[in-house]
């Protein structure tokens, strides 16, 4: 069981017998949407009950599916996990379970990066997922192995790859992890993970 299954299990409990679990989520790609500056990829958007949630991924899909598709599903590959992320975010938006499910506008990129850099100053950082902006900005603070890190920064595809999930699950509760941007908002809210998105909407 991974952190994904913990979050989805919590959502399943919240939705039990509400009828929402049978609702349909529309998944599509929005190439024009603002996205968080940290993860690499495009905006996979889930729409549910008139509300939407975003998950930035390099492996988007398009589909109509029921919320309950996730319940007990193995989520065996990055595409399924990215879809689950968009669904969790859309349903979290509909139920008001999480805030800041939309990214900031590009004019907020610089202050966000400055604040995050101050937050992690003096610490060895492991990046879970491809994050070119942070790799450049943090320079020699970025380490190549999780064992050497003081804290982890997690975003987008870092939450969907086998290696990323294994890393998160192994060190969750043992080392500080900060989950970045709207992609992580739903999961973070459901299972009380530290979430960073000061200018999200």
């Amino acid at each position: 069981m991974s952190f994904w299954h913990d979050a989805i299990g919590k959502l399943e409990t919240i939705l039990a017998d509400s009828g929402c679990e049978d609702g349909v989520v529309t998944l599509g790609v929005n190439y024009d949407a603002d996205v968080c500056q940290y993860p690499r990829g495009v905006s996979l958007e889930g729409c549910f009950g008139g509300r939407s949630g975003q998950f930035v991924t390099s492996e988007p899909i398009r589909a109509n599916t029921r919320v309950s598709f996730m319940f007990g599903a193995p989520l065996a590959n990055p595409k399924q996990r990215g879809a689950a992320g968009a669904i969790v975010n859309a349903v979290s938006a509909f139920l008001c379970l999480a805030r800041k499910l939309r990214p900031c506008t590009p004019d907020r990129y610089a202050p966000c990066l400055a604040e995050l850099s101050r937050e992690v100053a003096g610490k060895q950082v492991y990046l879970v997922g491809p994050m070119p902006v942070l790799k450049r900005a943090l320079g020699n603070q970025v380490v190549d192995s999780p064992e050497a890190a003081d804290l982890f920064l997690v975003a987008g595809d870092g939450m969907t790859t086998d290696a990323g999930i294994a890393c998160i699950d192994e060190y969750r509760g043992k080392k500080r992890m900060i989950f970045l941007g709207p992609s992580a908002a739903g999961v973070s809210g459901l299972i009380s993970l530290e979430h960073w998105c000061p200018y999200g909407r």
Side-chain angles (χ1 to χ4, degrees):
M1 295 294 283
S2 72
F3 72 94
W4 280 110
H5 295 100
D6 291 345
I8 291 166
K10 180 78 177 289
L11 188 61
E12 183 176 6
T13 299
I14 291 168
L15 293 179
D17 301 320
S18 69
C20 290
E21 67 271 26
D22 295 321
V24 173
V25 181
T26 300
L27 297 171
V29 181
N30 185 347
Y31 292 102
D32 297 322
D34 288 329
V35 293
C36 177
Q37 66 182 314
Y38 302 124
R40 190 175 62 197
V42 298
S43 173
L44 172 60
E45 289 189 351
C47 296
F48 180 75
R51 300 295 302 275
S52 64
Q54 179 189 88
F55 192 91
V56 176
T57 178
S58 59
E59 296 197 45
I61 64 168
R62 294 169 178 84
N64 291 321
T65 185
R66 294 192 186 281
V67 175
S68 58
F69 121 84
M70 303 181 298
F71 302 160
L75 302 180
N77 60 56
K79 283 189 176 187
Q80 291 176 357
R81 296 166 193 149
I87 293 168
V88 167
N89 287 340
V91 175
S92 294
F94 177 75
L95 297 175
C96 302
L97 296 175
R99 299 177 61 219
K100 301 186 178 180
L101 287 153
R102 296 177 58 216
C104 66
T105 51
D107 61 306
R108 296 293 188 178
Y109 285 1
C112 180
L113 179 58
E115 290 178 31
L116 183 58
S117 297
R118 283 194 294 274
E119 180 69 23
V120 303
K123 296 182 174 63
Q124 299 295 293
V125 177
Y126 184 71
L127 302 178
V128 184
M131 291 178 263
V133 169
L134 288 175
K135 195 169 179 68
R136 282 191 306 271
L138 299 179
N140 61 10
Q141 281 183 259
V142 176
V143 296
D144 293 329
S145 72
E147 295 82 8
D150 299 314
L151 66 85
F152 296 179
L153 297 176
V154 184
D157 281 347
M159 298 171 64
T160 65
T161 64
D162 292 344
I165 290 171
C167 181
I168 293 165
D169 287 341
E170 180 177 352
Y171 289 97
R172 186 163 54 128
K174 298 174 186 172
K175 292 196 178 189
R176 184 182 178 195
M177 295 184 183
I178 303 175
F179 287 74
L180 304 173
S183 294
V187 167
S188 296
L190 286 165
I191 56 174
S192 302
L193 302 171
E194 184 175 354
H195 185 235
W196 177 275
C197 194
Y199 300 103
R201 298 169 286 158

